[in-house]
Amino acid sequence: MKRRTLLSGLITLPLLPGMARFSLAESMEHETGMTVTPLDLPHSHWRDKVSAEAWNVLFEEATERAGSSPLDKVYEPGTYVCAACYLPLFRSEDKYDSGTGWPSFTQPIEGSMGTKQDFKLIWPRTEYHCARCGGHQGHVFNDGPPPTGQRWCNNGVALRFIPATDALPELRS
Ligand SMILES: [Zn+2]
């Protein structure tokens, strides 16, 4: 099928429960000044680059068990990058203890995330993913603290923490 035909077909499909609505990927300006261009790579590309647990979350949209990630209790200064492609996604300043057992943030780094609505629960919720590799990170809710009132509830296994004293890793693809 031609790509254009496929895309226009997706746009005109009615929204049904259980279906996800994808926003079409475009390049975004990342807060660091770089342009984030979505990688057009099959999910299998990342199989041998991340752990099996991380792969299931990132590319099968699995959810890690609450309280299982050591990153839930990390509050040192630093940057949280995508476990697959290393795009910087969150700053430690925006992390807080939500008490849910998942690393939680009030906001991501601007230009780092794409979102889509999903209907895996009865009510719609907003899924978000790395804007570069498309890896699923978590869901965003409107019950967070100031200043945004948002709770970006993230799977710790989908992140790597880079302490402020370390250099950020090169993006990988
Ligand atoms: Zn990524």
Side-chain angles (χ1 to χ4, degrees), residues 2-164:
K2 277 187 189 157
R3 184 172 171 81
R4 195 170 47 195
T5 314
L6 177 66
L7 290 179
S8 58
L10 284 176
I11 290 163
T12 53
L13 275 175
L15 263 185
L16 299 170
M19 278 183 53
R21 179 174 52 194
F22 292 86
S23 51
L24 297 179
E26 317 174 337
S27 293
M28 303 208 290
E29 191 74 27
H30 192 265
E31 200 176 285
T32 56
M34 67 177 148
T35 300
V36 176
T37 303
L39 297 170
D40 190 15
L41 294 168
H43 290 173
S44 57
H45 171 82
W46 303 100
R47 271 252 188 232
D48 59 353
K49 296 184 172 66
V50 296
S51 68
E53 294 75 25
W55 196 87
N56 284 337
V57 168
L58 287 158
F59 300 110
E60 295 286 324
E61 291 195 27
T63 298
E64 72 187 12
R65 192 168 46 80
S68 64
S69 171
L71 291 186
D72 184 36
K73 300 295 178 207
V74 167
Y75 292 99
E76 283 75 50
T79 306
Y80 294 82
V81 304
C82 171
C85 77
Y86 298 168
L87 181 71
L89 301 180
F90 293 104
R91 283 174 300 253
S92 55
E93 300 94 285
D94 298 316
K95 191 171 189 288
Y96 74 102
D97 186 1
S98 65
T100 59
W102 287 286
S104 301
F105 304 84
T106 54
Q107 60 189 337
I109 291 175
E110 202 180 322
S112 69
M113 298 290 192
T115 62
K116 70 176 194 278
Q117 293 252 292
D118 80 29
F119 293 86
K120 283 185 183 166
L121 302 177
I122 294 164
W123 58 91
R125 58 180 184 167
T126 301
E127 182 276 352
Y128 64 86
H129 48 270
C130 171
R132 189 160 176 273
C133 71
H136 168 67
Q137 291 288 331
H139 292 88
V140 58
F141 302 91
N142 288 321
D143 56 8
T148 63
Q150 295 176 348
R151 171 168 60 96
W152 293 71
C153 183
N154 216 97
N155 290 282
V157 77
L159 296 170
R160 276 169 203 249
F161 176 65
I162 312 296

